[in-house]
Amino acid sequence: MLIRVGDDRTSHIDLVLAGLLSSIAGALNAVGFLIAGSFTANMTGNISALADHVANGAFMIALSFGGLVIAFICGATLAAITIQAGERHGVRTIYALAITAEAFIVLALGIALARSAGNTHETLFVIALSFVMGLQNAVTTMISRARVRTTHVSGMATDIGIEMAALFGGQKMKQDALPKLKLHSLTLICFTLGGVCGALIFGFVGFWLFVIAACMLLFMSLPEVLRARRG
């Protein structure tokens, strides 16, 4: 799931990757809103909020939303640089290692929040979480050659509309659209369910949700690292 790249990947592998990672992204995005009132995976909304606050003269608040966008871009940039370097040096496990790094960042955030009893600066928390979302989205985009995007909800909703329209076209258009429709619909559904479950679980276990999310990421990535090294 985190070893094969691009055309070497099957549609089933992409579906599993999209389902798992979009669920985690949805959960973290929902918890970010519950803790700090900001969506860490929604860059369209954050840029809109930035523009609105600038127009109203609330420049400091606008700056915080700008920080979320910059953090998301930095996470994606760092992931891309690391992956490109790994691919140049033939590191087959580079994508799995990137998800492992995400797991440890999420775990560190959970520990920091738990130790501070929820008094951690909210802006710093959501900026760090936006960094994580950018990292994850870059990993899934690069490994699937842009077929899988786990936080790009607006784009997925648009793609679903285009693919549904293609179902009314010729047979070739239907054949091309159906796998994409299945993938994007699953991603959108899992992101939504992840958000619902994340909010509910956070209400019961609090910051242990981050430990659960980190364990899920490690469960995905570490077996892939070991399998690739054995191979």
Side-chain angles (χ1 to χ4, degrees), residues 19 149 161:
R149 294 175 184 262

Side-chain angles (χ1 to χ4, degrees), residues 95-108:
Y95 291 96
L97 290 173
I99 295 299
T100 301
E102 179 190 354
F104 283 115
I105 296 172
V106 170
L107 183 61

Side-chain angles (χ1 to χ4, degrees), residues 181-207:
L181 181 60
K182 185 177 181 180
L183 175 63
H184 293 135
S185 297
L186 176 71
T187 306
L188 191 60
I189 291 169
C190 287
F191 187 90
T192 304
L193 292 177
V196 173
C197 293
L200 291 173
I201 294 172
F202 183 73
F204 285 107
V205 302
F207 301 122

Side-chain angles (χ1 to χ4, degrees), residues 110-219:
I111 292 172
L113 286 167
R115 287 174 61 87
S116 65
N119 294 322
T120 299
H121 199 291
E122 293 176 350
T123 301
L124 294 178
F125 165 71
V126 292
I127 284 175
L129 205 51
S130 288
F131 178 90
V132 170
M133 292 293 95
L135 184 154
Q136 184 191 109
N137 205 40
V139 172
T140 56
T141 299
M142 293 180 73
I143 196 172
S144 67
R145 297 297 184 256
R147 290 192 298 270
V148 178
R149 294 175 184 262
T150 54
T151 68
H152 192 50
V153 175
S154 298
M156 283 184 287
T158 303
D159 290 339
I160 289 171
I162 294 171
E163 288 143 13
M164 289 182 66
L167 297 180
F168 297 96
Q171 189 62 32
K172 179 65 166 61
M173 291 180 66
K174 292 180 183 179
Q175 290 177 348
D176 292 340
L178 279 172
K180 297 176 184 177
L181 181 60
K182 185 177 181 180
L183 175 63
H184 293 135
S185 297
L186 176 71
T187 306
L188 191 60
I189 291 169
C190 287
F191 187 90
T192 304
L193 292 177
V196 173
C197 293
L200 291 173
I201 294 172
F202 183 73
F204 285 107
V205 302
F207 301 122
W208 280 99
L209 173 79
F210 291 89
V211 176
I212 296 171
C215 288
M216 291 178 64
L217 291 167
L218 291 173
F219 180 76

